[in-house]
Amino acid sequence: MNATGSPKSPKSQKYANSAEFPAQFARTRRFSLGVPRHFTVSPDGRRVLFVRTGSGTDPVGRLWQYEDGAERLLADPGLLIGAAAGAVPEEERLRRERARERSVGVVSYAADDAALLVAFALSGALWAVRTDGGAPFPVAAAGPVVDPRPSPDGRHIAYVSGRCLHVVGLSGGDRQLTRAEGPDISYGLAEYVAAESMHRMRGYWWSPDSARLLVARVDTGPVARRYLGDPADPAKPPRAIAYPAAGTPNAEVTVQLLSLEGERVDVVWDRGAYEYLVDAGWDAHGPFVAVQSRDQRTLRTLAVDPATGATEVRHERTDAAWVELVPGTPARTASGAPVLPEDDGGTRFLTVGGRRVTPDGLQLRAVLGVEGEQVLFTASEDPLETHVWRYGPGRGIRRLSGGPGRYSGVARGGTVVLEGVTPQGNEVRVVRDADPVTGTGAGAGDGAPDEVIASLAEEPALTPRPAHLTLGERQLRGALFLPSWHQEGTGRLPVLLDPYGGPGVQQVGRARGWFTCVSQWFAEQGFAVLVVDGRGTPGRGPAWEKAVHGDQLTPALEDQVDALQAAGARYADLDLTRVAIRGWSFGGFLAAAAVLHRPDVFHAAVAGAPPTDQRLYDTHWKERYLGHPQERPENYARSSLAGHGHLLSRPLLLVHGLADDNVAAAHTLRFSAELLAAGKPHSVLPLPGATHAPSDDTVNEQLLHFQRDFLLDALRGRPGEPA
């Protein structure tokens, strides 16, 4: 009712229904706070360790244990004396940034093999707690601690401090196993491209007998430096980072075998031919490494002789475009059978022991773990969903997750923890589902009651209402968000495309992610919002992913245009004379490209953190798709915005964090200078102190308002706009 007692019209409520969303979106850190994550299951399957903040707005992570249907708090940073006394080490800050971590406190941990001893770092201090009782206790360390990991037997904790690897006993006795020979050297840490582009966040691995470690040594001396300053604080010195841009030298990464007594053996392979360390590990069959050629067309799995460091090729994958890295591979079963992906045409298969164990059309996404001869993995039958599956010899594969959504999980001792993002939001179910040896028994979908680990995340102030569409001759998967107050046939709506549209990310699915909430919020502001996953996005097989090889722009933009036109033909209320597009990172690149190359279709754009010159992006990620810039310069010219600024004829807003060390602010600043030189009006919104994923709550709240107002103003007065 309004002030006169008359009922409000649906349209008059369009801002009231979503007014609180931007502030909520910011204070909940994209609805990530309060969500349980980082699960570990004990060998008997009875206990589950996890991290969760105290509420949907509390950013402080705490360590929990779930057992017999009840939760027990293991470590609360607020109750630990001196836990917040120091600053977070720079290496740890970078690890969190690479992982897009949005909380503080206990953000990660590692456990011994029995899940009885847990180690974690707080403000650079080393802490441990026993899960069978007792309070957390500090462990004396040589300096600020990064990535602590207990030995499998729980007698020692390894950690990195000052770029050196240490091992300490629980009662003391710290041993420095490596010494960084200079400021460019580090031991036990993942280099930039490993963390950003290879899924590898760690740099050392314990042997199963707890006597030795496999350790990566990184030398960033050959890598070019970038300097990130803060223009808002001119007295603050710039920060130097080693950033290997496409076509320039990478860090030199080698691997060593170290004993607790200080004995060292170098791992030997042809580093000239295979300069990338993709992954490594140490299981009952010995240490192994996965290495990749610079052109990324060959990936080798090497067995390592622990006595001599000599390596032997156990498997080789090749591809004419690039070998896609699948998380969790390579791996081995208890009998030594290799667990690997295999691409064949339109399907990415799971292979065990050299044999395909998944059917045609089921797309392998990741290997989650191996227990005995069983393999837990995620795969997609339908690109709109990702489910958890298990393979066992003689029994084939079985899907463990039930309803629609995108799922991941861990399993051990007959217990499976299923972590899902569903149409209703986040959920975590503990399924006591199977005999750990045979894989048989009750489970998801079998009527057995599941246990739930509660999510404390806030419910969004608005409910996403996507209509899932299959569009055009390429059957593009899309989602259309209409205002909740809109009634069909009552008026035409301006259209906002809201894509990512690039490798590694799917936005369209039967799941309520933060991005679906944002798309619905823009719909409530008066747009018909269309989200489309085009060629190059994951989930539809290797041929679909590799359709962008050599050209990351043309296919991606064509798919957005085709989907828009198909949706407009189906829904008469979509006004194709008023079309805007927004995006961040690759989505920002796509948005800016849309108004440059297709002004006949797109009438305004917001481009956040856009990589405008592909030559400025990192080696492993960019050379994967476009090749080496000295060998394929035409691919970089074709796929860049730089050099095409003179084409701009539509309103464009460029947004960029000035502390972004992933897509440097130079992308936007140089492109803005090009537009200015060409006499092309545009707008630039710099974000002082912001990284690639801005963390300031006020910035994240106001960015939504700013983008909305820019786009509405840009489309105002175009044909179809009401007076």
Side-chain angles (χ1 to χ4, degrees), residues 389-460:
W389 299 72
R390 177 161 45 206
Y391 163 77
R395 297 187 175 274
I397 63 170
R398 176 188 179 207
R399 197 177 103 178
L400 302 182
S401 48
R406 296 206 183 276
Y407 291 86
S408 186
V410 296
R412 205 174 181 195
T415 292
V416 181
V417 178
L418 295 174
E419 180 183 7
V421 183
T422 76
Q424 291 74 45
N426 296 90
E427 70 169 33
V428 176
R429 293 186 291 124
V430 180
V431 183
R432 315 289 184 177
D433 82 317
D435 180 279
V437 176
T438 67
T440 60
D446 292 339
D450 296 341
E451 303 165 38
V452 174
I453 296 178
S455 172
L456 307 181
E458 282 195 7
E459 281 295 306

Side-chain angles (χ1 to χ4, degrees), residues 31-114:
F31 301 99
S32 65
L33 302 181
V35 177
R37 55 202 175 90
H38 297 322
F39 299 96
T40 300
V41 182
S42 62
D44 60 6
R46 292 188 57 188
R47 298 176 292 112
V48 179
L49 305 176
F50 66 96
V51 169
R52 186 183 61 202
T53 69
S55 72
T57 56
D58 178 4
V60 180
R62 298 161 175 83
L63 179 66
W64 297 83
Q65 180 168 261
Y66 179 87
E67 183 177 12
D68 296 330
E71 297 178 0
R72 180 164 67 90
L73 181 61
L74 295 179
D76 182 346
L79 302 179
L80 302 181
I81 297 174
V88 174
E90 177 68 6
E91 293 88 350
E92 178 63 20
R93 186 193 67 78
L94 291 173
R95 276 172 52 84
R96 296 182 185 184
E97 190 171 301
R98 301 282 175 266
R100 307 294 185 254
E101 178 58 58
R102 297 181 178 276
S103 62
V104 296
V106 181
V107 300
S108 63
Y109 67 90
D112 64 0
D113 189 62

Side-chain angles (χ1 to χ4, degrees), residues 445-505:
D446 292 339
D450 296 341
E451 303 165 38
V452 174
I453 296 178
S455 172
L456 307 181
E458 282 195 7
E459 281 295 306
L462 47 77
T463 302
R465 305 167 65 248
H468 291 289
L469 311 173
T470 300
L471 300 165
E473 62 182 29
R474 284 185 291 278
Q475 296 188 313
L476 299 161
R477 301 306 198 270
L480 181 64
F481 299 81
L482 297 175
S484 59
W485 44 265
H486 179 71
Q487 297 179 4
E488 185 177 358
T490 59
R492 304 187 73 198
L493 298 168
V495 183
L496 174 62
L497 274 69
D498 194 10
Y500 180 81
V505 176

Side-chain angles (χ1 to χ4, degrees), residues 279-303:
D279 206 352
W282 201 328
D283 59 18
H285 303 280
F288 63 89
V289 295
V291 296
Q292 190 179 41
S293 58
R294 175 73 182 246
D295 65 12
Q296 302 186 49
R297 294 175 181 173
T298 305
L299 176 67
R300 285 183 168 181
T301 301
L302 308 178

Side-chain angles (χ1 to χ4, degrees), residues 546-571:
K546 294 171 184 177
V548 298
H549 185 234
D551 186 351
Q552 285 197 281
L553 175 56
T554 307
L557 184 54
E558 283 179 352
D559 286 348
Q560 297 298 316
V561 173
D562 289 354
L564 171 66
Q565 293 173 343
R570 187 179 305 183
Y571 292 90

